[in-house]
């Protein structure tokens, strides 16, 4: 059976925290714990006007890829609410194929 | 196959649900489809969402995927709406307090009838004894109240004194006024295909080649109704971004160019861009010849601003100035999004004028993928201005500061903010006696300069009414009567982006529930208005009010709007050619000369230079070098966070978990010299005030510049005087001086002050 995952094109992740809070709402996760959590790399200067500054949301062991929502034909709540629309849900094979068409800042999680 | 069929059916049901504005579910719970505004705050962005109500409680907020702009996306301020709506500290019944108990937490719950029985005789008494002008209505930033505090003052109460207290009116007002005088149009916004149901795919639309954010970070601020993450939509479609910002923002790291300038030197930079574009003959000659007035004068003026000279002023290298200018002029279409940094600058009128001139000479006005232009006032915006007919010319003449500041009072229907503080302090030209604070918590560091001075001056008011949702520092200090407001989930309304000055859509705000005994802004306007000026309020209900606003212009009533969900007006480009920008139907712009005024006839008439010029900030390394030795940082303030809207949201624990305290940004090299490490508590201090913050060490800021967030108070701290929820501890606006405004009355130095920074042992 195919395994599902989350594809995150973090070139467009603005660090808005919507995935974190939507996930907490959906799964009733208390303060201090997360089902998905934003991580930050940078900001630092590479050279001249080139900078590194990335936000990458990382699903945790509390993530069930919104099983109940998906059963109802909806997207996982993090994907649905993402302000940068940089998250996609689906079978990992399909997502891996999509990855090849994206830039360097892309990651696939299979929680 | 079976699974697919099921999913298809579920899909049908979902879409059926989304087409009703209210859907009752099998378990008795229900779902209301709505467009958001405030409170809790944001500008009129109108994000689409579904509110799930169960057992009388808002249990869940879900983004509405069918909304053409937000498409299901929602920010964390809406995702935490249930926490806000049902917060234990919310005030949901009217309250009164004896005047001698101001500053004390001694309140008595009352009914609305009782509240009116206190308020109405007071208003009548002040009007009879001292004239209606002795009453002042204060408004705040961004909330729905922005549409209603003018009518509340003019038509419900009957005073000419409606005040937005921010020094130099430094938020949106200056940009709208400048546009009115230079272009004769409503608010200029980048073309983000907002009026098209099929958005970026519409055949009439062209994706901009570039968008410049000038002193603006829309991802967090969603300014004036622009959904900030539309910029990400456009990045994905190939638009290049250019940032004019003292900080390297995240958006900057995704931009083609970043001009990291010295705060407050923006006008010099704009003039250097124009210098390059004109001198290298890269401007749109056709547009300039046919539609611009005073080009030769502008050409002569910008000779004073060579890239080399401006590089010294702004810290932006001359070569970069040239490259950016060439890119802007040769790649079409493109657009500049001007931000609050234009307003919060005593030299801001000249900056705004220069930015509009740049948009004009590059041929980007009112073209697909360029800058859209709307009517100066439409729909609710028009109505709120028209309510001033309730005031006699004699009464209107008494508006504070109107005669002294014609450039402000011609476009803005308010008092002059700085003059209003002077009037409170001096009792001249007359004494103000009653205050009505409508969604304005301005002794927190939001929309007032030197809030400590306002605080002392406001004590002279004899009677105060405050409308809000929580006990704020301002309410605790001054309210005699507290009138509770509902959130946008709790009352019917209409959201119109950009406050009606170039709206991309109009949406229904649908009541999903009502907690306690609250009344919305428009409900209060109508109810109070019927008691004092019934002829101004011929509306049977809120629905009737909205229907009467919508019907004449759009041909639909409020119920139609609910059913339709949102209304996107048809947009027409090149209106300067078709005559649709002017009231007389002639081609051109709605200005004195009928053209874009690169040289302004009105500025000259008001005693100002008709052309843009650069002026150093009032306090800076250049204008006050001796003071700068003592206060060796340029202080810029007010960059926004996802977690709050100005002074709102500080009691929402999910959001405080993300941003717990006031934060200041300092470069690691500067911090090292001061012995400050990341997370230390520090004090920012200058000759006007001081403010505590947590230090964030970051290379995104220049070593000679520091930045502080704004809006901070601490709802968890004691509310009573003298603490007032810790409002004086992290009050960055105490460092911003009163009345350091531009020649025409606009602008304040909130983004270009000076300060020193030192480590402190104790935080807040």
């Amino acid at each position: 059976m195919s395994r599902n995952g989350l594809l995150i094109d973090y070139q467009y992740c603005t660090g808005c925290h919507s995935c974190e809070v939507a996930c907490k709402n959906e799964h009733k996760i208390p303060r201090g714990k997360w089902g998905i959590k934003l991580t930050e790399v940078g900001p630092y200067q590479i050279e001249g006007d080139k900078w590194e500054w990335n936000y990458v949301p990382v699903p945790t062991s509390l993530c069930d890829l919104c099983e109940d929502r998906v059963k109802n034909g909806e997207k996982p709540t993090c994907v649905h609410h993402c302000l940068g629309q940089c998250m996609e849900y689906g079978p990992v094979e399909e997502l891996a194929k999509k990855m090849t068409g994206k830039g360097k800042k892309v990651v696939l999680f299979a929680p | 196959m079976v699974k697919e069929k099921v999913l298809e059916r579920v899909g049908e049901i979902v879409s059926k649900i989304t087409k009703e504005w209210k859907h009752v579910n099998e378990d008795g719970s229900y779902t209301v489809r709505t467009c958001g505004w405030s409170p809790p705050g944001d500008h009129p962005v109108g994000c689409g969402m579904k509110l799930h109500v169960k057992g009388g409680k808002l249990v869940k907020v879900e983004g509405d995927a069918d909304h053409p702009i937000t498409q299901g996306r929602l920010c964390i301020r809406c995702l935490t709406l249930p926490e806000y709506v049902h917060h234990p500290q919310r005030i949901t019944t009217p309250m009164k307090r004896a005047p001698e108990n101001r500053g004390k937490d001694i309140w008595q719950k009352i009914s609305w009838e009782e509240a009116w029985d206190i308020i109405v005789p007071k208003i009548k008494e002040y009007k009879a004894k001292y004239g209606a002008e002795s009453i002042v209505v204060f408004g705040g930033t961004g909330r729905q109240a922005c549409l209603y505090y003018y009518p509340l003052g003019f038509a419900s109460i009957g005073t000419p004194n409606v005040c937005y207290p921010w020094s130099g009116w430094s938020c949106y007002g200056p940009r709208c006024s400048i546009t009115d005088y230079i272009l004769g149009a409503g608010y200029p916004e980048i073309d983000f295909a907002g009026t098209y149901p099929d958005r970026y795919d519409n055949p009439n639309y062209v994706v901009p080649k570039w968008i410049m954010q000038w002193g603006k970070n829309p991802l967090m601020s969603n300014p004036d109704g622009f959904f900030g993450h539309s910029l990400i939509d456009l990045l994905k479609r190939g638009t290049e971004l250019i940032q004019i910002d003292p900080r390297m923002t995240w958006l900057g790291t995704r931009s083609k160019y970043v001009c990291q300038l010295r705060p407050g030197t923006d006008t010099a930079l704009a003039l250097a861009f124009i210098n390059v574009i004109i001198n290298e003959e890269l401007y749109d000659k056709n547009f300039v010849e046919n539609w611009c007035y005073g080009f030769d004068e502008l050409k002569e003026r910008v000779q004073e601003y060579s890239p080399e000279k401006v590089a010294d002023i702004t810290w932006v290298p001359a070569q970069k100035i040239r490259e950016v200018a060439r890119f802007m002029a040769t790649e079409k279409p493109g657009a500049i999004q001007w931000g609050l940094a234009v307003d919060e600058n005593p030299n801001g009128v000249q900056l705004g004028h220069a930015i509009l001139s740049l948009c004009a000479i590059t041929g980007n006005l009112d073209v697909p993928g360029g800058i859209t232009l709307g009517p100066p006032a439409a729909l609710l915006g028009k109505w709120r201005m028209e309510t001033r007919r309730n005031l006699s010319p004699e009464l209107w003449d008494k508006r504070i500061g109107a005669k002294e500041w014609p450039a402000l009072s011609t476009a803005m229907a308010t008092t002059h903010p700085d003059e209003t503080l002077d009037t409170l302090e001096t009792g001249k030209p007359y004494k103000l006696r009653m205050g009505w604070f409508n969604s304005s918590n301005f002794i927190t560091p939001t929309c007032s300069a030197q809030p400590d001075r306002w605080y002392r001056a406001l004590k002279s008011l004899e009677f105060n009414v405050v409308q809000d949702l929580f006990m704020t520092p301002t309410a605790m200090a001054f309210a005699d009567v507290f009138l509770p407001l509902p959130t946008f989930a709790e009352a019917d309304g209409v959201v119109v982006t950009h406050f009606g000055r170039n709206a991309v859509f109009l949406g229904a705000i649908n009541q999903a529930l009502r907690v306690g005994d609250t009344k919305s802004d428009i409900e209060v306007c109508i109810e109070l208005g019927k008691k004092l000026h019934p002829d101004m309020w011929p509306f049977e209900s809120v629905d009737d009010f909205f229907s009467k606003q919508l019907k004449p212009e759009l041909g639909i009533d409020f119920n139609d709007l609910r059913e339709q969900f949102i209304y996107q007006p048809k947009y027409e480009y090149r209106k300067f050619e078709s005559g649709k920008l002017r009231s007389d139907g002639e081609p051109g712009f709605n200005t004195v000369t009928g053209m874009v005024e690169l040289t302004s006839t009105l500025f000259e008439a008001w005693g100002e230079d008709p052309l843009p010029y650069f002026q150093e900030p009032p306090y800076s390394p250049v204008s006050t070098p001796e003071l700068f030795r003592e206060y060796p940082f340029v202080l810029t303030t007010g960059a926004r966070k996802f977690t709050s809207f100005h002074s709102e949201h500080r009691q929402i624990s999910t959001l405080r978990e993300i941003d717990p305290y006031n934060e200041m940004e300092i470069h690691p090299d500067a911090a090292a010299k001061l012995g400050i490490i990341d997370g230390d508590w520090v004090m920012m201090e200058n000759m006007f005030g001081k403010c505590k913050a947590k230090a964030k060490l970051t290379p995104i800021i220049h070593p000679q510049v520091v930045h502080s967030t704004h809006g901070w108070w601490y709802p968890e701290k004691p509310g009573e005087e003298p603490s007032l929820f810790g409002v004086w501890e992290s009050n960055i606006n105490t460092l911003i001086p009163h009345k350091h405004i531009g020649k025409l009355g606009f602008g304040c130095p909130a983004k270009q002050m000076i300060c020193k920074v030192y480590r402190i042992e104790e935080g807040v």
Side-chain angles (χ1 to χ4, degrees), chain B residues 237-255:
Chain B
R237 286 165 174 79
T239 299
E240 301 272 18
L241 300 183
I242 307 167
Q243 305 300 315
I244 311 295
D245 202 302
R247 306 184 308 154
M248 172 59 76
T249 61
W250 179 90
L251 212 46
T253 65
R254 267 63 176 170
S255 295

Side-chain angles (χ1 to χ4, degrees), chain A residues 9-22 24-26 28 30-34 40 43-45 48-49 51-55 69-75 77 80-86 105, chain B residues 7 10 14 60-65 70-76 79-80 82 219-220 227 229 232-233 235-236 248-250 252-254 256-258 260 320 642-643 653-655 657-658 696 698-701:
Chain A
D9 188 351
Y10 60 89
Q11 170 70 8
Y12 302 113
C13 174
T14 62
C16 74
H17 299 273
S18 282
C19 55
E20 288 179 357
V21 175
K24 277 170 177 271
N25 286 350
E26 192 71 29
K28 309 213 170 1
R31 276 197 290 158
K33 298 179 187 180
W34 286 266
E40 186 180 8
Y44 59 84
Q45 193 172 19
D49 274 359
W51 284 67
E52 195 72 57
W53 193 350
N54 300 316
Y55 293 104
R69 287 176 64 97
V70 171
K71 260 186 223 155
N72 284 324
E74 296 170 282
K75 291 175 186 167
T77 191
H80 181 95
H81 290 104
C82 173
L83 289 182
Q85 288 181 333
C86 67
K105 294 185 174 178
Chain B
L7 281 183
V10 171
V14 170
K60 195 177 175 190
V61 177
E62 174 96 0
D64 186 341
T70 53
Q71 303 162 359
R73 297 173 273 187
L74 269 191
C75 84
I76 53 179
L79 288 169
T80 53
L219 297 180
M220 286 85 170
F227 176 61
H229 279 72
I232 304 299
D233 300 347
L235 261 181
K236 291 176 184 170
M248 172 59 76
T249 61
W250 179 90
T253 65
R254 267 63 176 170
K256 185 176 175 73
Y257 296 109
V258 178
Q260 206 173 347
K320 189 183 268 183
F642 289 111
T643 43
S653 60
T654 304
L655 301 175
E657 186 184 21
I658 298 169
K696 182 177 182 181
T698 172
I700 70 164
I701 198 156

